[in-house]
Amino acid sequence: GKGIKILYGVEAYLVDDTAKAVFGDKECGFDDEYVVFDIETTGLSSVTDKIIEIGAVICRKGEILDRYDTFVDPGTPIPAEITELTSITDEMVRGAPKIKQALMEFLEFCGDRAAVAHNASFDTGFIRTACKENGLEFRNTYIDTLAMSRFANTDLKRHNLDALKEYFDLEDFHHHRACDDAEITAKILT
């Protein structure tokens, strides 16, 4: 009587598969200032790998107002494949701030602005883990441009920064360098 038919031996799950691009409670718009950021790391695990670079730009109405970029000394050698991908070497991070100092500077740079990142769950996962390990908090509302692109650019098969740069006919950039990735993400967003 309820329009449901039982199929014995069948197991079903309901999943909310709608894309979510905004995480947090802060109301924000394109007329407000927001921070676009990116990180480079020693690997893919926020638990075992370390941040080696943080780059960010403050934007309003598509204009870049300020930049923040720092290497981070991970306290461990950078794997060869990461150096090949990012061009960041052990020598470049030697003497750079340790993660706690870099995070405090980054969080101060962000203030209470909304944060934007491409594949934000990756970047914010590392930031949150490092903050927790250092007695800090990352509470900013954040926006994922990867999810936004998948929703808005349905004709694209790939939604990485290189594909979006080509799609929007933007200038070349040094991919896998934090500040360059942050700047191109800001241009893609606007």
Side-chain angles (χ1 to χ4, degrees):
K2 301 280 185 195
I4 298 174
K5 181 179 180 181
I6 297 176
L7 300 175
Y8 295 102
V10 174
E11 194 171 320
Y13 299 91
L14 296 176
V15 177
D16 181 6
D17 61 354
T18 55
K20 185 171 182 180
V22 179
F23 303 84
D25 300 327
K26 181 180 170 86
E27 294 284 327
C28 53
F30 287 107
D31 290 340
D32 299 322
E33 287 185 1
Y34 52 94
V35 175
V36 182
F37 77 100
D38 187 66
I39 61 169
E40 300 304 330
T41 64
T42 60
L44 300 176
S45 170
S46 65
V47 175
T48 58
D49 293 309
K50 305 295 181 197
I51 296 171
I52 57 176
E53 185 180 27
I54 303 172
V57 292
I58 294 174
C59 300
R60 184 180 340 118
K61 296 182 181 180
E63 182 182 343
I64 294 174
L65 305 175
D66 199 3
R67 288 172 175 75
Y68 173 80
D69 191 21
T70 187
F71 287 119
V72 180
D73 184 345
T76 184
I78 298 172
E81 63 271 13
I82 298 300
T83 296
E84 187 176 323
L85 179 68
T86 65
S87 73
I88 300 171
T89 65
D90 290 326
E91 293 76 27
M92 294 166 77
V93 299
R94 190 173 294 121
K98 298 290 186 189
I99 189 62
K100 185 170 186 173
Q101 179 185 346
L103 284 172
M104 289 188 317
E105 291 172 2
F106 171 67
L107 294 173
E108 183 178 331
F109 183 79
C110 289
D112 67 346
R113 296 173 186 91
V116 177
H118 197 72
N119 192 14
S121 61
F122 177 84
D123 299 270
T124 59
F126 269 89
I127 295 291
R128 286 181 195 281
T129 298
C131 280
K132 185 175 182 182
E133 291 172 353
N134 289 281
L136 302 168
E137 279 189 271
F138 177 75
R139 289 178 256 171
N140 300 61
T141 291
Y142 62 94
I143 301 165
D144 185 357
T145 56
L146 177 61
M148 289 176 67
S149 179
R150 286 179 176 151
F151 178 77
N153 304 312
T154 56
D155 53 327
L156 289 177
K157 288 183 171 62
R158 296 174 50 225
H159 297 270
N160 61 35
L161 291 179
D162 288 324
L164 292 171
K165 177 205 73 96
E166 292 296 324
Y167 184 73
F168 291 113
D169 196 28
L170 299 170
E171 70 276 357
D172 286 334
F173 68 108
H174 190 172
H175 195 178
H176 297 296
R177 287 304 301 272
C179 209
D180 288 358
D181 285 1
E183 287 189 29
I184 201 73
T185 301
K187 290 175 183 174
I188 288 167
L189 181 62
T190 57

